[in-house]
């Protein structure tokens, strides 16, 4: 036996919100909290209401650790949309139902507009009127774009009579706040998630193994590939593109394409994996998007929960393809314009979204001219050529997505097309060999056949519990090594 000395003051600092270190899945403190959470979760496996309440409270605490006291916004959205859905279900009049769903849109989009777009819109209005605008000090709560869209999907589905509203506020709070997908998605539809809430807790060997695999692969993509190449290479290029040659700028763009994919998809993989460990199924959110041979296929593979949300609740609401070809092309551009604005209150996001909208419209025109059917895929060298073109178009758009300053994007493109200097590549490779090794590994894994990933996943599933435990310990050790400053100061073991 050995005494344990706990520094409670440091423990308190770790458990309260720190704006400099919001909690995410790859943080060391989350692993400790999640381990304790799982113990209680398993003990409550046969207590449905108690388990749902416990997970909801933990989810609110998780959001508090991510955004501080702004967790009350989550409660406002939850209560408002729960009550509005109840009223809609009991209301028969068309205009009354229309008014209720409009009120839900007003609450959700109003919160989103205030916290995310007040300064952006204020600057635009001031410039149009020839005045000056002083930006307000408005904190942007983490994940507000995700939980407002998720809650909106519920009220819109109730309005369309595609689902019946929940009768329990606790169940709805559980759905909106479920912590695996709360702050960074995927956006989970009510129709997919709500039927799972009151089911008996069951985690099969296949679910457990797949969950471990997704957590491991997600952590590798986000915490190793994405973070490393971002800090050690990509940020340097994008911060000062004119200091580097064209070949260095091009490699920076390729690096960012990999970084943003590994960051977004890695977090989604971890969210889906954690949900599986808790007995819940989420749909696939990223499906090797750089394998796409067209921009339309890219948006079927990239951030699938967001692209499908935009299609079902925005594109279709605008008329979709039901009002003629010209209107369809315009609807695509409007949808992607607003999709770009959803990513952030800045002209660079608007431009990025507009580029993609125009590309989608042009692809639809090309499909009409060539007589190709929807969903028909090319093969052989034609597909290879399509993948190369699509990837480079996406990379071109990433330049404007990443650079908040339009001039930086112009400078970067200018360096690539006028000061390329390919003879510098060997020197670049020698100086950043670790970065390029990770980039090569990341792209090889991304473009590898799906059967390879499925084979590795099946291997993890077949491992005995001890083998899975070893993988989990290795995962925890890796994260502790990376985030050791978060967890070591508040507990000491004295031998």
């Amino acid at each position: 036996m050995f005494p344990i000395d706990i520094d409670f003051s440091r423990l308190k600092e770790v458990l309260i919100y720190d704006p400099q270190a919001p909690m995410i899945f790859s943080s060391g403190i989350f692993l400790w909290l999640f381990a304790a959470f799982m113990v209680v979760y398993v003990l409550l496996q046969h207590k449905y209401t108690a388990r749902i309440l416990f997970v909801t409270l933990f989810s609110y605490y998780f959001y508090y650790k991510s955004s501080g006291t702004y967790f009350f916004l989550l409660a406002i959205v939850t209560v408002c949309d729960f009550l509005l859905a109840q009223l809609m279900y009991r209301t028969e009049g068309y205009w009354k139902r229309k008014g209720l769903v409009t009120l839900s849109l007003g609450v959700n989009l109003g919160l989103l507009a205030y916290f995310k777009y007040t300064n952006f819109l204020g600057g635009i209005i001031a410039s149009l009127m020839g005045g000056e605008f002083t930006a307000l000090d408005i904190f942007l709560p983490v994940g507000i774009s995700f939980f407002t869209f998720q809650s909106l999907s519920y009220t819109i589905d109730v309005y369309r009579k595609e689902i019946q509203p929940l009768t329990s506020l606790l169940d709805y709070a559980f759905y909106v706040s479920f912590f695996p997908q709360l702050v960074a998605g995927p956006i989970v539809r009510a129709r997919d998630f709500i039927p799972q809430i009151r089911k008996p807790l069951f985690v099969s060997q296949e679910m457990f193994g797949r969950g471990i695999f997704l957590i491991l692969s997600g952590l590798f993509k986000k915490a190793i590939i994405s973070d490393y190449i971002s800090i050690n290479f990509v940020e340097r290029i994008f911060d000062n593109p004119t200091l580097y040659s064209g070949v260095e700028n091009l490699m920076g763009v390729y690096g960012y394409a990999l970084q943003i994919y590994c960051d977004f998809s890695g977090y989604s993989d971890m969210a889906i994996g954690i949900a599986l460990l808790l007995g819940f199924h989420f749909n696939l959110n990223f499906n090797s998007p750089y394998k796409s041979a067209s921009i339309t296929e890219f948006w079927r593979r990239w951030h699938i929960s967001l692209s499908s949300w935009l299609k079902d609740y925005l594109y279709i609401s605008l008329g979709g393809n039901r009002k003629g070809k010209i209107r369809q092309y315009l609807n695509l551009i409007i949808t992607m314009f607003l999709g770009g604005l959803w990513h952030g209150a800045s002209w660079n996001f608007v431009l990025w979204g507009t580029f993609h909208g125009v590309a989608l419209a042009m692809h639809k025109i090309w499909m009409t001219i060539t007589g190709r059917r929807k969903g028909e895929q090319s093969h052989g060298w034609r597909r290879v050529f399509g993948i190369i073109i699509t990837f480079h178009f996406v990379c071109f758009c990433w330049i404007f997505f990443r650079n908040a300053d339009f001039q930086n994007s112009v400078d970067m493109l200018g360096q690539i097309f006028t000061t390329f200097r390919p003879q510098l590549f060997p020197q670049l490779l020698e100086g950043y060999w670790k970065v390029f090794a990770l980039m090569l590994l990341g792209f090889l894994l991304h473009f590898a056949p799906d059967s390879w990933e499925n084979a590795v996943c099946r291997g993890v599933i077949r491992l005995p519990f001890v083998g899975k435990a070893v993988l989990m310990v290795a995962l925890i050790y890796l994260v502790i090594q990376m985030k050791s400053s978060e967890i070591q100061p508040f507990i000491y073991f004295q031998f």
Side-chain angles (χ1 to χ4, degrees), residues 96-111:
K96 289 182 179 179
R97 289 173 58 82
K98 196 84 168 179
L100 290 170
V101 76
T102 302
L103 182 56
S104 174
L105 286 164
V107 171
N108 287 277
L109 298 183
L111 286 173

Side-chain angles (χ1 to χ4, degrees), residues 82-289:
F82 174 78
L83 295 175
L84 289 171
Q86 288 287 323
L87 287 172
M88 262 189 283
Y89 184 68
R90 295 196 294 266
T91 301
E92 293 297 331
Y94 171 78
W95 289 108
K96 289 182 179 179
R97 289 173 58 82
K98 196 84 168 179
L100 290 170
V101 76
T102 302
L103 182 56
S104 174
L105 286 164
V107 171
N108 287 277
L109 298 183
L111 286 173
L112 194 59
Y114 172 74
F115 285 99
K116 200 165 186 177
Y117 304 109
T118 296
N119 288 325
F120 179 63
L121 295 175
I124 294 174
I125 294 171
S127 64
L128 291 175
M129 298 181 67
E132 293 185 2
F133 176 74
T134 303
L136 303 176
D137 185 17
I138 299 175
F139 175 79
L140 179 60
V142 175
I144 189 171
S145 298
F146 287 97
F147 70 73
T148 51
F149 269 34
Q150 182 157 309
S151 193
L152 270 178
S153 72
Y154 170 77
T155 53
I156 294 172
D157 282 352
V158 172
Y159 167 74
R160 293 174 174 176
K161 297 185 178 181
E162 294 178 357
I163 61 171
Q164 292 186 356
L166 286 165
T167 57
S168 167
L169 177 59
L170 176 60
D171 286 6
Y172 187 64
F174 179 89
Y175 159 65
V176 177
S177 67
F178 191 50
F179 71 91
Q181 45 75 44
L182 178 57
V183 298
I187 302 171
V188 180
R189 303 288 185 89
R191 69 187 78 163
D192 297 324
F193 187 82
I194 286 174
Q196 303 182 59
I197 294 177
R198 291 279 173 175
K199 280 187 175 181
L201 175 59
F202 174 73
V203 180
S204 66
Q205 180 181 352
E206 193 273 341
M207 290 172 64
F208 185 77
R210 185 174 295 275
I212 296 297
F213 170 76
L214 287 170
I215 292 171
L216 286 167
S217 62
L219 183 64
F220 181 78
K221 284 193 286 187
K222 179 173 176 56
I224 297 179
I225 294 180
S226 179
D227 289 352
Y228 187 85
I229 65 176
S230 172
I231 294 171
N232 293 285
F233 184 64
V234 173
E235 288 181 4
R236 302 176 188 180
I237 304 295
F238 275 86
D239 288 347
N240 297 285
T242 56
L243 296 181
Y244 299 91
S245 66
V247 69
E248 290 167 304
N249 275 270
L250 182 60
M251 292 302 107
V253 174
Y254 289 158
Y256 182 68
L258 181 64
Q259 174 208 323
I260 193 169
Y261 164 73
C262 288
D263 188 52
F264 283 6
S265 70
Y267 203 92
S268 286
D269 286 350
M270 287 188 280
I272 296 169
I274 290 171
L276 280 172
L277 297 186
L278 302 180
F280 293 87
H281 295 271
F282 290 169
N283 293 328
L284 182 69
N285 202 30
F286 288 85
N287 184 21
S288 303

